[in-house]
């Protein structure tokens, strides 16, 4: 972190303890103090606008952007980008990507050392007064937010800055002139109004394929080049919607807890409720409250789990290690050096406070521990907790169904502070650490991530398949116990069955002529063990892969599987050891083994560090590693991949 920014943060901290926030801001403004005082004097007779001006000035310290001359300086770069895009009719094809990347690699050096300027020292009085007046006007014209609390107005409508580095200009005046009064009718659904507005900007598309790090300093440039990442579109949307009096914010996950990467999106705040939406004009952009609730899974994108969701803010929040003068800045993870954010996790999912006792030695100068999740090939801090004298730490408002690791952070390095644990869906902690017992582990891939078309293929093979029961092997009077739902989780499904009758024979009737399964098991009431021995007695399906055997769907390994095809609708029949009730079934759709052919890969387990249990090269099929300690977390590492961690119990893989 730059020393100047650290200085500003320390100044903020000192000011909060010793002087009024406004006095501190005006003092830090230096030669620009007179301009800010003009604004305050201008609103002396208007209490609300005076408070708004004070809110902006008090929180201006720490914010910075580029001068508009920076955009002019790089206009030739943007012109070339557009020329190449027009050459390919704005299609992000492979050749477009190659040409953009080649051009950008030759010009990247030109933008490496662009100086920024501090808002508090450059904002002019007339500009700020115009911003405040227009914000109030748009707020009162907006039928959705005109009755919002003044605090919400200050947080979500008034701010002129929603991202650092962006130029201070008149873009919000332009947006107001284009679209004033579109939010004056609450009889229309807010999502419909937003979508109709953003449809006018549908040529702005997500692209992370080429020149991703090319800076975009203002809204006008983004409209010109029409391509960007979620971060860019999110601040653009905020400038646009806030200019129209809509309370809007940027929310983000610093890292997903069960897949690689992070994400940024927009949220509307109406009557105290958060309405998140995809920044780009996507056809399913309003489903985030369902997808990010840490309970469900999405039909197209699978399961999302978030340990934390934060909201970017204009006002600063000094808390935790950042507010502790006894903590060196080098001993704080980068995420928590940012005072312009606050935790909004409980607006998305049910959270739980996590109390743990640190088991590793605590050095005298370590005051905080950090709860981490596994991200892109490493551990990522997502929450802090102050270490108490007894070695215990409280981590507030954590997401469930996630594997965590407590760690210390010193001089930019993470050090384990205790064992990893699963915070299960009930909020209970399950310690994950190596046991003395060793067993083989069979794997078929290094990641749980699947593309939407792969998920839909899984769904097509199993949706509406029905499980029937009978005591006659010919199924003369079968009862339907359950039909599989449309949505299939790629890495395991469990369905409860409410039928007290007992059956000796089971049959899975397929809606189509093919099936793919990695594993299926049947359970009697009050038992966590599958009914055994259960044997397949008949099927009209034949294998589509000679290396696979139908018995692999019941071999006790979720990594192995079988695909079958019939000349007509398929079925599989089983015989149980005796007649019994079926209380639930568990099944895993078929996913073909996939690694990177010919590359060396290793199975690793966590024991305060990643320990290699074995190394192999993959050609086809599954891989088995012998003599692996049980009870901990694992990953399959190979060069050039973003692997995921998993647990392994009785042959079943559970991804995190």
């Amino acid at each position: 972190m730059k020393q100047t920014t650290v200085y500003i943060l320390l100044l903020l901290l000192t000011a909060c303890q010793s002087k009024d926030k406004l006095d501190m801001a005006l003092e830090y403004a230096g030669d620009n103090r007179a301009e800010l005082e003009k604004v305050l004097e201008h609103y002396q007779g208007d209490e609300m606008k005076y408070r708004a001006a004070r809110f902006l000035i008090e929180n201006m310290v720490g914010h910075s952007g580029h001068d508009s001359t920076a955009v002019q300086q790089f206009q030739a770069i943007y012109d070339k980008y557009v020329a190449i895009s027009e050459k390919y009719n704005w299609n992000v094809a492979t050749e477009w990507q190659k040409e953009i990347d080649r051009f950008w690699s030759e010009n990247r050096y030109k933008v490496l050392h662009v100086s920024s300027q501090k808002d508090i020292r450059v904002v002019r009085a007339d500009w700020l007064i115009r911003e405040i007046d227009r914000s109030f006007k748009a707020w009162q014209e907006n039928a959705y937010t005109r009755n919002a609390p003044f605090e919400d107005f200050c947080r979500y409508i008034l701010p002129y800055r929603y991202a650092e580095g962006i130029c201070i200009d008149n873009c919000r005046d332009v947006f107001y002139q284009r679209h004033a009064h579109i939010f004056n009718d609450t009889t229309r659904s807010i999502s419909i109004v937003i979508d109709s507005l953003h449809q006018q900007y549908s040529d702005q598309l997500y692209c992370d394929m080429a020149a991703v790090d090319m800076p975009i300093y203002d809204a006008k440039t983004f409209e010109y080049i029409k391509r960007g990442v979620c971060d860019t579109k999110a601040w653009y949307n905020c400038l646009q919607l806030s200019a129209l009096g809509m309370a809007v914010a940027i929310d983000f996950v610093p890292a997903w807890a069960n897949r690689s990467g992070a994400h940024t999106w927009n949220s509307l705040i109406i009557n105290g409720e958060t309405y998140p939406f995809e920044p780009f004009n996507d056809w399913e952009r309003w489903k985030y409250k369902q997808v990010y609730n840490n309970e469900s899974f999405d039909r197209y994108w699978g399961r999302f789990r978030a340990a934390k969701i934060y909201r970017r803010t204009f006002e600063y929040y000094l808390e935790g290690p950042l507010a502790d003068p006894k903590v060196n800045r080098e001993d704080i993870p980068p995420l928590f050096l940012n005072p312009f954010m606050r935790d909004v996790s409980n607006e998305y999912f049910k959270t739980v406070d996590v109390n743990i006792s640190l088991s590793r030695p605590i050095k005298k100068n370590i005051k905080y521990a950090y709860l981490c999740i596994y991200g892109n090939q490493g551990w990522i801090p997502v929450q802090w907790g102050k270490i108490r004298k007894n070695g215990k730490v409280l981590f507030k408002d954590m997401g469930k169904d996630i594997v965590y690791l407590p760690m210390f952070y010193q001089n930019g390095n993470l050090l384990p502070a205790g064992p990893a644990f699963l915070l299960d869906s009930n909020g209970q902690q399950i310690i994950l650490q190596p046991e003395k017992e060793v067993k083989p582990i069979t794997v078929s891939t290094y990641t749980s991530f699947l593309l939407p078309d792969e998920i839909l293929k899984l769904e097509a093979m199993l949706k509406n398949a029905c499980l029937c029961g009978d005591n006659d092997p010919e199924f003369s009077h079968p009862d339907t116990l359950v039909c599989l739902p449309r949505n299939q989780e790629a890495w395991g499904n469990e369905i409860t069955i409410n039928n007290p009758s007992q059956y000796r024979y089971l049959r899975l009737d397929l809606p189509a002529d093919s099936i793919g399964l990695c594993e299926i098991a049947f359970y009697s009431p009050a038992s966590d063990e599958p009914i055994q021995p259960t044997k397949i007695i008949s099927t009209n399906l034949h294998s589509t892969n000679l290396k696979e055997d139908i018995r692999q769907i019941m071999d006790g390994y979720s990594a192995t599987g079988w695909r079958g095809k019939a000349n007509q609708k398929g079925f599989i029949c089983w015989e149980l050891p005796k007649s019994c009730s079926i209380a639930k079934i568990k099944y895993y759709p078929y996913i073909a083994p996939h690694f990177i052919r010919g590359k060396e890969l290793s199975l690793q387990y966590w024991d305060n560090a990643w320990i290699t249990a074995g190394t192999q090269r993959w050609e086809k099929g599954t891989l088995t590693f012998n003599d692996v300690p049980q009870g901990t977390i694992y990953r399959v590492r190979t060069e050039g991949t973003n692997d995921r961690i998993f647990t392994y119990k009785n042959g079943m893989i559970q991804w995190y």
Side-chain angles (χ1 to χ4, degrees), residues 585-600:
I585 65 170
K586 292 183 180 180
Y587 66 96
Y588 293 73
Y590 182 88
I591 297 174
H594 61 284
F595 297 100
I596 298 177
R597 193 179 302 277
K599 275 199 170 185
E600 190 174 84

Side-chain angles (χ1 to χ4, degrees), residues 134-159:
R134 191 212 51 257
S135 295
F136 270 90
K137 186 174 188 293
W139 178 31
Q140 291 309 303
E141 291 171 351
N142 191 309
Y144 295 90
T145 59
R146 65 167 61 109
N147 295 319
F150 181 70
E151 182 184 55
D152 283 359
F153 165 75
C154 289
R155 283 179 170 175
Y156 305 121
I157 299 174
L158 178 65

